[in-house]
Amino acid sequence: MGLFSGLVTWPRAPVRGVVWIAEQLHDEAHRQLYDPGVIQQRLEEVAEQRESGELTEEEAARQEDELVRRLMAGGPPGGGLEV
């Protein structure tokens, strides 16, 4: 039965590959968006940009608010698959 089921499901192999790649991309995007280390590094960059004048106080505050929100959430709102 293993050989037969392998032959029958063989046409679906590309779909399984695409699904696996999509899952890997989702996991990496989630890590980059919600990893505390990445968020801390970005907060430091925003502070440096504020000090150098690259960002206005308003822009820096908006970015910091978003970063802190992501840090506190630890994941996408609602626990969905948002990327």
Side-chain angles (χ1 to χ4, degrees), residues 28-43 45-46 62-77 82-83:
E28 181 62 19
H30 186 273
R31 186 195 67 77
Q32 289 182 14
L33 281 174
Y34 298 104
D35 181 83
V38 172
I39 294 172
Q40 180 62 39
Q41 180 181 2
R42 184 65 188 123
L43 283 167
E45 291 171 2
V46 169
R62 185 185 53 77
Q63 288 186 23
E64 288 172 344
D65 288 345
E66 173 62 23
L67 290 164
V68 169
R69 185 193 63 77
R70 288 187 347 212
L71 184 63
M72 299 302 289
E82 298 175 12
V83 177

Side-chain angles (χ1 to χ4, degrees), residues 44-59:
E44 292 171 5
E45 291 171 2
V46 169
E48 290 173 6
Q49 290 174 338
R50 174 189 282 147
E51 290 174 10
S52 70
E54 293 178 52
L55 290 176
T56 65
E57 288 294 323
E58 183 178 294
E59 292 169 330

